[in-house]
Amino acid sequence: VGRLPRGGGRWLSGGRKGWGAGRVAVRYGNRTGRRDVDAAVRCASVCCSQADDLKRTEILMKYRILPGTALRVSEVCLGSMTWGEQNTAAEARAQLDYAVARGINFIDTAEMYPAPPNAAKQGRTESYIGNWLARRKPDGLVVASKVAGPGRRDWIRDGRTDLTREIIAEAVETSLARLQIDCIDLYQIHWPQRNVPMFGATAFGTAKEAGGPPVRGQVEGMAAVIAAGTLRNFGLMTEAACSVCEFQLSASALCGTVPGRSPYGDSSV
């Protein structure tokens, strides 16, 4: 926001290729700056509070089918990992209401949230979403969550985080209870069972391998929950390409489909 032009109004940054390339004035009452309200809204970010206050911005959300699923999701997915730590329950509800009103139908969370993770607040984010869903669940809403995986936090299930068939089923049931729903649309493996170099590491350290259920066993666990009707799809995060291929082969054989992939930065090649 820049200086006030003569005759009233407020300046909004806008213009070519981002902020600061030009400025336009917003009209208040009967007083008009250099351009009218519609020009201001076109040039300003839709997230700008001034434009939002004018209630003139029409947001046309785009949707896509999530590959390997029948889920129709908005191109913008609402994350939630700060709810319960950096954001209050009221702020979480406000963000959910705001997002849904603007066409977002894809909500992402995890059993480990909020972040930074800690034992006292673990699971609070899912509970916040569940309380909101109990009050209102818009048609077509897609809810995604994640099972933590081994080696992340010993206080999750008292350290029982290996991705066995039993642990996956228990994690899904716990998430369902917090979310207050009967079925999760997408459940992802947050951190892989095997050791994966990440956060800048480039070398694979064999000494860090801890064993645990193989890929096929993890797929069997997810397939069992899908067959039980409490999960629609499963996916992967923070995985390397070789493991993604192995998951795809096993899932195709057992489930007739392949898991969705949501790679983090170091794993996205």
Side-chain angles (χ1 to χ4, degrees):
V1 179
R3 61 181 176 81
L4 286 172
R6 183 176 300 175
R10 277 188 291 187
W11 292 112
L12 300 179
S13 296
R16 65 183 186 279
K17 296 183 179 179
W19 299 99
R23 290 186 292 185
V24 294
V26 176
R27 180 174 57 197
Y28 286 90
N30 294 322
R31 296 183 295 177
T32 308
R34 293 194 305 184
R35 299 184 186 179
D36 63 12
V37 173
D38 292 333
V41 171
R42 284 195 300 271
C43 294
S45 165
V46 295
C47 296
C48 184
S49 61
Q50 294 96 331
D52 185 55
D53 290 341
L54 291 171
K55 302 185 184 302
R56 294 293 187 92
T57 304
E58 180 181 6
I59 301 175
L60 300 177
M61 182 60 64
K62 295 181 180 179
Y63 301 87
R64 299 188 180 200
I65 299 299
L66 201 63
T69 77
L71 301 176
R72 180 177 178 269
V73 298
S74 52
E75 288 190 345
V76 178
C77 177
L78 178 63
S80 62
M81 71 179 187
T82 61
W83 301 348
E85 179 64 42
Q86 301 171 56
N87 291 112
T88 65
E91 290 169 339
R93 290 193 300 270
Q95 290 178 35
L96 284 160
D97 288 340
Y98 185 94
V100 169
R102 281 148 185 82
I104 295 175
N105 76 332
F106 196 9
I107 312 298
D108 175 74
T109 189
E111 68 167 353
M112 191 174 71
Y113 292 165
N118 64 84
K121 298 179 181 178
Q122 184 258 323
R124 184 174 291 182
T125 303
E126 285 186 327
S127 295
Y128 281 5
I129 296 172
N131 291 336
W132 180 82
L133 289 172
R135 180 173 59 91
R136 57 170 299 193
K137 185 179 181 184
D139 292 338
L141 190 71
V142 175
V143 178
S145 192
K146 314 178 195 76
V147 57
R152 299 311 302 170
R153 300 292 182 268
D154 290 340
W155 31 261
I156 296 179
R157 284 181 293 280
D158 295 323
R160 296 181 300 108
T161 54
D162 278 338
L163 296 171
T164 65
R165 181 170 179 156
E166 294 75 22
I167 292 301
I168 289 172
E170 181 181 340
V172 169
E173 288 300 321
T174 305
S175 289
L176 287 170
R178 293 194 194 106
L179 292 166
Q180 301 184 51
I181 55 179
D182 298 323
C183 185
I184 297 174
D185 297 301
L186 174 63
Y187 207 57
Q188 300 172 94
I189 296 175
H190 205 163
W191 303 97
Q193 178 71 44
R194 70 183 195 85
N195 170 50
V196 174
M198 61 185 71
F199 301 123
T202 57
F204 179 80
T206 56
K208 296 180 180 179
E209 282 295 305
V215 166
R216 185 177 180 88
Q218 297 170 56
V219 174
E220 288 174 344
M222 291 292 187
V225 182
I226 291 173
T230 53
L231 175 63
R232 291 191 175 90
N233 306 275
F234 83 96
L236 307 173
M237 299 190 71
T238 331
E239 267 292 6
C242 59
S243 288
V244 170
C245 291
E246 189 172 353
F247 268 99
Q248 287 182 311
L249 289 172
S250 294
S252 180
L254 292 171
C255 308
T257 185
V258 296
R261 284 84 65 200
S262 302
Y264 280 167
D266 291 347
S267 309
S268 62
V269 177

